[in-house]
Amino acid sequence: MDSKIKTVFIGAGNVATRLSLAMKDAGFSVIQVFSRTEGNVRMLGERLGCDFITETGLVDPGADIYIFSVKDDILQNIITKVPANKGLWIHTAGSVPVDVFKGHAERYGVIYPMQTLSKYRETDFHKIPLLVEGNTGTSEKEILNIAERLSENVRPVNSEKRKYLHLAAVFACNFSNHMYHIATRILEEQGIDRHVLQPLIDETANKLHAMHPGMAQTGPAIRYDLNTINRHLALLNDPDTRDIYELISKNIKSVNI
């Protein structure tokens, strides 16, 4: 594929930022970025050194690739507003089927980076699993070629399987991070430095490189240590946090019997 292939990004959030910068580093020519939020699109456009716009009607019709990287709940609406063209249309959502583009483009597909991404945190894209799909064999081959220039870990995955991968990722990443947030809040309320948890968090993740999560589970719930569980519950003043503790403890016990 020509290294000067012209690419337009629809979106300027976390995924769009990291993916567009990775594509630029890989030699793609990112010529334009769209977002309704002027501050975000201006910042990304300046980082990429390309045109930036806030109106879909101004999307350049002459690009080779159009990457749609916006919130899932507005993706369909944005697709209908981008003028038709002959480019390859790609979205980056984990839980949205490939056929969201049907009727709007002839060649289309998905590149889903299965990683937590942030605008201001550098990421080694070469290690990120990129899950790809195309509406035809030819489209999928094109998308595979794009993805393989960005990552060493590229896998064809259809829409049905990808939605389960996205669900698993929410549990493994988003929910886990929320647990860290709760733990941090508990410590901060007691004036304890949250970084004391870091070695524990690191070892919990590192164990999973060699062990099944079921084998790695420790703590009072798997031991069914009711004395400790009840002492912990007595320390929790927030009813929602207490409910979370009880529900997760019961689930740990039930799945590990």
Side-chain angles (χ1 to χ4, degrees):
M1 184 174 288
D2 183 357
S3 64
K4 298 300 181 184
I5 193 164
K6 294 184 290 185
T7 305
V8 168
F9 267 81
I10 312 298
N14 290 329
V15 176
T17 297
R18 300 280 29 127
L19 180 55
S20 62
L21 291 169
M23 290 187 75
K24 181 182 179 182
D25 289 344
F28 291 85
S29 177
V30 182
I31 62 171
Q32 189 181 62
V33 181
F34 159 83
S35 174
R36 290 171 176 167
T37 307
E38 185 171 354
N40 288 346
V41 75
R42 178 183 297 275
M43 185 180 301
L44 182 54
E46 289 175 350
R47 292 180 74 177
L48 293 165
C50 72
D51 181 33
F52 50 89
I53 57 171
T54 57
E55 297 179 26
T56 50
L58 298 177
V59 170
D60 191 318
D64 302 296
I65 304 173
Y66 295 81
I67 307 283
F68 291 73
S69 189
V70 297
K71 293 179 181 178
D72 292 5
D73 58 356
I74 67 169
L75 176 58
Q76 180 72 69
N77 182 257
I78 292 291
I79 287 170
T80 64
K81 295 184 183 304
V82 173
N85 56 64
K86 297 185 180 299
L88 175 63
W89 290 23
I90 298 170
H91 77 68
T92 62
S95 60
V96 178
V98 67
D99 283 343
V100 70
F101 290 123
K102 192 172 184 178
H104 302 285
E106 293 182 7
R107 297 155 49 238
Y108 53 85
V110 180
I111 297 179
Y112 168 48
M114 200 168 71
Q115 181 57 280
T116 176
L117 299 170
S118 299
K119 290 182 186 180
Y120 307 110
R121 181 173 172 82
E122 294 296 325
T123 305
D124 183 1
F125 234 83
H126 292 96
K127 304 299 182 184
I128 295 177
L130 298 182
L131 312 182
V132 306
E133 182 180 11
N135 68 311
T136 66
T138 301
S139 296
E140 186 157 293
K141 185 176 179 180
E142 287 185 84
I143 297 168
L144 278 167
N145 288 337
I146 294 166
E148 286 170 353
R149 289 175 55 179
L150 302 173
S151 174
E152 302 165 3
N153 191 350
V154 177
R155 308 180 188 199
V157 177
N158 64 31
S159 294
E160 181 67 15
K161 295 294 185 184
R162 192 176 65 254
K163 69 183 182 183
Y164 285 100
L165 282 163
H166 187 257
L167 172 61
V170 168
F171 274 95
C173 174
N174 306 137
F175 289 174
S176 294
N177 188 72
H178 186 62
M179 296 300 106
Y180 302 150
H181 180 74
I182 291 173
T184 296
R185 187 179 64 213
I186 290 169
L187 293 185
E188 288 177 343
E189 288 174 353
Q190 300 301 316
I192 302 171
D193 182 359
R194 68 181 177 85
H195 291 98
V196 71
L197 288 174
Q198 200 63 55
L200 176 63
I201 292 170
D202 292 344
E203 177 59 14
T204 301
N206 287 336
K207 281 199 297 187
L208 301 185
H209 289 278
M211 300 175 66
H212 186 281
M215 295 297 295
Q217 187 71 55
T218 61
I222 196 169
R223 298 192 305 267
Y224 198 51
D225 182 351
L226 285 177
N227 288 332
T228 299
I229 289 171
N230 288 330
R231 282 196 295 268
H232 286 171
L233 289 171
L235 295 173
L236 296 171
N237 296 318
D238 176 60
D240 289 338
T241 306
R242 193 183 305 114
D243 287 346
I244 290 170
Y245 186 105
E246 284 191 292
L247 182 61
I248 293 177
S249 294
K250 288 177 182 178
N251 192 251
I252 289 172
K253 177 180 178 291
S254 68
V255 301
N256 287 279
I257 292 176

